[in-house]
Amino acid sequence: MKLRIGLVAVGVLMGLWGVWKMFEALDVRALVRLPLWLGGAVVADDFILVPLTVTVGWLVTRWSLGPGRHRTVGVVRTTLLYVGITTLIALPLIARQGTGANPTILPRDYRRDWLLLEATIVAVGAVAFLLQRFTFRRSRASSGDIGGR
């Protein structure tokens, strides 16, 4: 119990130190914009990302109900997950491309690089899908031959 209280105390002190450093580093205008940005992140998550994720998950689940598709659902979900994560990481870079006074901060063509990365992820996912779909024999469960029918 003493260890738990000590760890909580250390965590609270580190959090307070972080807040103190944030107040030192940011001016008043940035401190006003911070809650707006955090609120925007919550709204984007709750009203865009979550419904999109649930819809895509539902569509993939409905698609996977077909015969023999249960083997490939993991590949499809993994590919979609990687595409989604890399898109979320790349969107700020793509949106800020070419803005600002210092052109050396974001010098690359991030849209092209992002598209190449997504194409690579989809290509690898497609190869894995095809390998898994057509190289493994059908099991008795997927062929409907269960229970002596």
Side-chain angles (χ1 to χ4, degrees):
M1 184 67 171
K2 289 181 181 181
L3 177 65
R4 183 177 289 174
I5 291 172
L7 289 174
V8 167
V10 168
V12 168
L13 288 173
M14 288 180 71
L16 290 173
W17 178 72
V19 169
W20 176 56
K21 296 302 275 182
M22 179 184 69
F23 282 131
E24 269 186 355
L26 298 177
D27 62 345
V28 175
R29 287 184 3 186
L31 289 173
V32 170
R33 287 192 313 253
L34 183 63
L36 294 175
W37 184 86
L38 292 173
V42 169
V43 168
D45 179 61
D46 290 349
F47 294 109
I48 297 172
L49 293 177
V50 171
L52 182 65
T53 304
V54 169
T55 303
V56 169
W58 181 79
L59 290 171
V60 169
T61 302
R62 294 288 299 162
W63 170 80
S64 70
L65 296 177
R69 293 185 182 155
H70 64 281
R71 285 186 228 100
T72 57
V73 116
V75 173
V76 172
R77 285 182 179 167
T78 302
T79 303
L80 291 173
L81 177 70
Y82 287 157
V83 165
I85 289 171
T86 54
T87 299
L88 284 176
I89 291 169
L91 279 179
L93 296 172
I94 294 169
R96 295 186 69 192
Q97 180 88 31
T99 61
N102 187 352
T104 63
I105 291 177
L106 297 173
R108 297 182 55 105
D109 185 2
Y110 289 105
R111 182 173 292 121
R112 182 203 64 210
D113 294 346
W114 169 72
L115 287 172
L116 287 172
L117 177 63
E118 299 305 314
T120 303
I121 292 170
V122 170
V124 169
V127 168
F129 174 83
L130 292 173
L131 285 173
Q132 203 159 26
R133 177 91 172 151
F134 296 112
T135 58
F136 297 110
R137 289 186 294 141
R138 295 181 74 178
S139 67
R140 286 183 47 176
S142 68
S143 66
D145 184 25
I146 297 178
R149 288 191 238 158

